[in-house]
Amino acid sequence: MSRTASPTVVIVPGLRDHVEEHWQTVLAAETAGARSVPPLTGDRLSRDAQVAALESVLADISGPVVLVAHSAGVMTTVHWAQHHRRPVTGALLAAPPDFDTPLPEGYPTAQALRENGWTPAPRSPLPFPSIVAASTNDPLATFDRVAGLARAWGSRLVNLGPVGHLNPASGYGAWPRAEEFIRELDPAPEAL
């Protein structure tokens, strides 16, 4: 199942390490020419460092891209879009966290997120088409809060139902709907 369309698929993961069973890792392995933003070894919680890592990957790509972001990768993408302009065909923004509300124990605190530049979350329209895929029982954001972000960003909101945080801990490895959403964002792919 290889993708050979003209836009390059760029995977924008969250703040945690890459996990082999994660749908983004599976998608990257199955998508010809896909690029992934590598995990940071230092300044991991820094918004500026995460945005710079995304920009570094994008700087090496000529032509348009489709961004495929999950969790904090969504917030990285949205912050990146506030200050950078380049051809972006569209963005799949899956399971965005609500950094403006305290997260569960084991995640960064509201103070740490604020000090590292993540809050408040941008609420300006994105300069490219986007789909926000949201869970109704995500421990990192209520559906209503994510719906508000989607409206502010001008994104199409998709209710995924009760899929947790859409990660291996929630029982999700491969996620074929990601490919459907990519096709929707890039309506003329050669193959997927």
Side-chain angles (χ1 to χ4, degrees), residues 3-180:
R3 180 179 175 78
T4 58
S6 54
T8 300
V9 172
V10 175
I11 306 294
V12 188
L15 297 175
R16 299 189 181 230
D17 288 327
H18 289 239
V19 177
E20 289 302 314
E21 302 83 30
H22 196 285
W23 65 267
Q24 284 184 307
T25 308
V26 174
L27 181 67
E30 294 178 349
T31 304
R35 301 280 309 274
S36 291
V37 177
L40 297 178
T41 55
D43 291 329
R44 195 174 210 170
L45 194 53
S46 167
R47 180 205 66 192
D48 290 344
Q50 293 288 343
V51 168
L54 172 57
E55 177 61 19
S56 177
V57 170
L58 292 172
D60 287 339
I61 300 169
S62 61
V65 298
V66 172
L67 302 171
V68 178
H70 176 257
S71 191
V74 171
M75 304 315 291
T76 298
T77 299
V78 173
H79 279 283
W80 172 86
Q82 303 299 305
H83 304 287
H84 297 86
R85 296 290 181 256
R86 62 153 296 132
V88 173
T89 301
L92 170 57
L93 308 172
D98 179 7
F99 281 170
D100 293 326
T101 301
L103 299 176
E105 189 173 327
Y107 290 90
T109 65
Q111 179 179 345
L113 291 169
R114 185 174 48 258
E115 289 172 354
N116 282 281
W118 293 102
T119 59
R123 286 185 165 65
S124 301
L126 294 172
F128 42 78
S130 58
I131 298 169
V132 170
S135 171
T136 57
N137 67 341
D138 191 331
L140 302 186
T142 67
F143 185 81
D144 288 343
R145 295 283 293 186
V146 172
L149 290 172
R151 276 190 303 277
W153 298 335
S155 304
R156 182 169 84 81
L157 177 65
V158 176
N159 182 337
L160 298 176
V163 297
H165 194 52
L166 193 64
N167 59 6
S170 299
Y172 285 86
W175 182 45
R177 285 197 73 188
E179 296 169 6
E180 294 173 28

